[in-house]
Amino acid sequence: MDDMKVDPRIKRTKKLLIESFIKIGQKKDFKDITIKDITEEATVNRATFYSHFIDKYDLVDVVFTEDILERIVNNLNHHDLNEETIVKIFLTLTEFHTEKSTELSSQCRRSIESFSSILEQKVKKELEKLFYSLLLKQQPELDSEALKIGAAMLSWGIYGASVDWQNNSSLSAEQYIKKALPFMVTEINDLKG
């Protein structure tokens, strides 16, 4: 069923709803955005909104998923867990942080903060799934619980490092990850050992 071709009108309407949501997000805090706001901006009715999304949280999830998570998960899922993969994930995250900072700087501060916490939760969760699959592929003999713990540590660590780079570092992203890599690789190698 996933292979079925999607009607271009459905794609356009979904894109219109997403764009309307983003436009409203520049004026209002996330918690204050209503479905009515989104549908009025998009000039569609509520039923149309609900045919695409469950609620505004589902819409936010799609917005984030279609951007950062597709870049990270889809582009790296075939790789092994090694230094190159860690660097690619980190650089993708820092690129995203930089783009979003520029893009969101025009939005009100409260809106940025509410989106940021939703984004952080989603990215960590998806990174955790990615790291779990990579660890499982490389270490199938390890028990599932150990792999889940390792995946959680890696996802939170790399996301935290990307936030630290954005907020506290004067180094380029490449310089930062070069200094951080020995600590991360030691942990990955310990799993292999």
Side-chain angles (χ1 to χ4, degrees):
M1 186 153 189
D2 291 334
D3 294 336
M4 295 178 71
K5 191 167 180 125
V6 177
D7 185 326
R9 293 171 295 177
I10 292 172
K11 287 181 181 179
R12 279 193 302 272
T13 303
K14 188 174 184 177
K15 184 177 183 207
L16 178 63
L17 287 164
I18 290 169
E19 289 170 352
S20 297
F21 171 73
I22 291 169
K23 185 175 180 182
I24 293 166
Q26 294 174 350
K27 302 172 194 164
K28 285 184 156 186
D29 188 19
F30 176 75
K31 68 179 178 51
D32 298 325
I33 297 173
T34 65
I35 302 304
K36 182 178 179 187
D37 293 333
I38 299 166
T39 57
E40 283 180 358
E41 180 66 36
T43 63
V44 300
N45 63 37
R46 291 175 70 82
T48 301
F49 176 88
Y50 288 115
S51 70
H52 293 277
F53 305 103
I54 297 168
D55 54 22
K56 70 180 183 179
Y57 297 96
D58 184 37
L59 174 56
V60 162
D61 190 49
V62 168
V63 169
F64 292 144
T65 300
E66 289 181 357
D67 192 358
I68 183 70
L69 300 178
E70 281 187 8
R71 286 193 226 177
I72 293 173
V73 177
N74 293 343
N75 293 337
L76 298 172
N77 207 18
H78 63 281
H79 287 80
D80 287 330
L81 186 54
N82 55 31
E83 289 183 30
E84 180 185 353
T85 302
I86 296 292
V87 169
K88 283 183 178 182
I89 291 171
F90 180 80
L91 293 177
T92 301
L93 284 169
T94 57
E95 177 184 300
F96 176 76
H97 285 308
T98 303
E99 288 172 9
K100 284 303 173 199
S101 290
T102 304
E103 197 176 292
L104 295 175
S105 64
S106 63
Q107 295 185 16
C108 70
R109 187 99 235 134
R110 289 175 304 162
S111 186
I112 294 169
E113 289 167 7
S114 62
F115 283 133
S116 293
S117 71
I118 294 167
L119 173 63
E120 179 177 340
Q121 291 172 358
K122 184 69 177 165
V123 171
K124 285 178 184 175
K125 189 70 175 163
E126 292 301 318
L127 281 174
E128 195 173 321
K129 287 185 210 172
L130 171 65
F131 284 128
Y132 180 78
S133 70
L134 293 173
L135 288 168
L136 184 61
K137 188 165 72 170
Q138 282 183 231
Q139 300 295 319
E141 70 282 352
L142 288 179
D143 74 276
S144 177
E145 194 63 30
L147 294 175
K148 286 178 184 175
I149 291 168
M153 301 268 309
L154 286 167
S155 70
W156 284 56
I158 199 162
Y159 188 84
S162 71
V163 171
D164 181 62
W165 169 81
Q166 179 188 24
N167 295 333
N168 304 316
S169 183
S170 59
L171 300 173
S172 70
E174 292 80 4
Q175 292 169 323
Y176 185 102
I177 192 60
K178 190 181 255 188
K179 289 184 181 284
L181 204 52
F183 300 102
M184 299 185 96
V185 172
T186 299
E187 294 304 315
I188 293 168
N189 288 336
D190 285 349
L191 280 173
K192 293 178 184 176

